[in-house]
Amino acid sequence: MGGQTSAELSRACWHWSSASRGGVGLVATPRKTKNLVGQPEKIIDVPELILRINHVSVLYIEQLVASAEAAVEEVIRRGVADPNKIAVGGHSYGAFMTANLLAHAPHLFCCGIARSGAYNRTLTPFGFQNEERTLWEATNTYVEMSPFMSANKIKKPILLIHGEEDNNSGTLTMQSDRFFNALKGHGALCRLVILPYESHGYGARESIMHVLWETDRWLQKHCVYSSDVKADVSACKDNAEGTVDSQSKAVGAAGGVQERVNLDDDKFYSVRRSLLW
């Protein structure tokens, strides 16, 4: 991969998703899907109900879970996926969706990977995406859509990755930092990786390669070779407390990446940069 630009490496992240993952038994679905709710003020026919949707955020969780269930059922029907070994992941708003799915549809996925997301919508009080109402006008919607508020429900392994200098107003680095602390406080199996000098999108070769390495390692451990995807979370918490100091913050040798971990059975060790190529 010598001589490649950052843009080429960024594109390689997606190509790797459809190529390299397929080589180890993993398949990536398209990153973007249309919102089933539709446009504001549109009438939606629901069995025995007709609801007038004034904002796209109404029924967001229900629509998200329904969409995920339909996708999972379809890949299982086609015989291309093991129902016990399906992972979910996304970047930015996709990370927000990933966290919500692990909180509200844990039966569908064995683990998740969320990159540079916003998990507490009260930190974006003047709207987000297509939600134009403020926090004070739609408090319940902001709270219900925030996976941070459902951190106690997330029991599946989740990997959080974020740029240290994310300048996107909706996805400041503290979003992942605080979400990780909330997950850790409830005994979830989680890992936070902070990429130094990176913003909302990752540009450095070291960062992109490290993200690929973290992603591959997480999927290999918690998806491909996971022996029991329905493991007792309480047991995981006990093991984590006995083997890893989850409050530690280390700077790994792989490009100076900061890592915060909360693992179940063994430690993750940062490898030398030379071993990543």
Side-chain angles (χ1 to χ4, degrees), residues 84-85 220-231 265:
N84 292 322
K85 295 186 177 182
Q220 292 287 343
K221 179 176 176 61
H222 299 292
C223 185
V224 178
Y225 297 113
S226 176
S227 60
D228 185 7
V229 296
K230 299 182 183 298
D265 52 359

Side-chain angles (χ1 to χ4, degrees), residues 143-271:
V143 171
E144 291 172 0
M145 289 183 65
S146 297
F148 178 84
M149 303 301 180
S150 300
N152 61 314
K153 297 180 180 179
I154 297 179
K155 306 301 181 183
K156 296 299 178 66
I158 180 171
L159 169 63
L160 302 175
I161 302 175
H162 216 117
E164 184 181 35
E165 300 178 5
D166 195 327
N167 60 1
N168 183 24
S169 61
T171 58
L172 299 177
T173 308
M174 67 176 176
Q175 288 273 6
S176 287
D177 194 19
R178 294 182 179 182
F179 188 42
F180 173 77
N181 287 329
L183 291 168
K184 182 179 63 177
H186 287 95
L189 181 58
C190 53
R191 175 176 176 83
L192 172 62
V193 177
I194 302 296
L195 303 173
Y197 308 112
E198 294 292 356
S199 184
H200 191 56
Y202 317 140
R205 177 190 179 94
E206 291 85 354
S207 297
I208 294 172
M209 295 300 291
H210 192 80
V211 168
L212 292 176
W213 179 69
E214 289 280 357
T215 301
D216 180 70
R217 186 174 62 168
W218 194 258
L219 293 176
Q220 292 287 343
K221 179 176 176 61
H222 299 292
C223 185
V224 178
Y225 297 113
S226 176
S227 60
D228 185 7
V229 296
K230 299 182 183 298
D232 185 3
V233 176
S234 62
C236 292
K237 180 180 179 181
D238 292 339
N239 290 336
E241 291 176 348
T243 59
V244 179
D245 179 8
S246 61
Q247 296 183 356
S248 65
K249 180 178 180 180
V251 178
V257 178
Q258 297 176 2
E259 301 176 349
R260 303 182 190 182
V261 296
N262 183 24
L263 303 172
D264 56 343
D265 52 359
D266 62 349
K267 296 181 180 179
F268 276 124
Y269 296 96
S270 297
V271 301

Side-chain angles (χ1 to χ4, degrees), residues 12 33 52 78 101-102 107 114 116 130 238 242 275-276:
T33 57
R52 177 173 295 276
R78 295 186 181 186
L101 284 172
L102 291 182
H107 59 290
S116 299
N130 293 321
D238 292 339
L275 297 182
L276 296 178

Side-chain angles (χ1 to χ4, degrees), residues 6-78:
S6 294
E8 290 172 334
L9 285 171
S10 295
R11 289 194 296 271
C13 286
W14 174 243
H15 294 318
W16 177 86
S17 297
S18 57
S20 297
R21 291 185 198 175
V24 294
L26 300 173
V27 178
T29 57
R31 291 171 290 180
K32 294 183 180 180
T33 57
K34 293 183 179 179
N35 192 312
L36 297 180
V37 174
Q39 300 299 319
E41 299 295 341
K42 183 176 181 179
I43 299 295
I44 294 181
D45 292 325
V46 180
E48 301 179 359
L49 289 173
I50 296 181
L51 302 176
R52 177 173 295 276
I53 306 302
N54 296 316
H55 301 277
V56 295
S57 297
V58 175
L59 299 181
Y60 170 79
I61 296 298
E62 291 83 351
Q63 293 286 338
L64 178 64
V65 172
S67 296
E69 288 177 339
V72 169
E73 289 175 2
E74 179 60 18
V75 294
I76 293 175
R77 183 189 69 79
R78 295 186 181 186

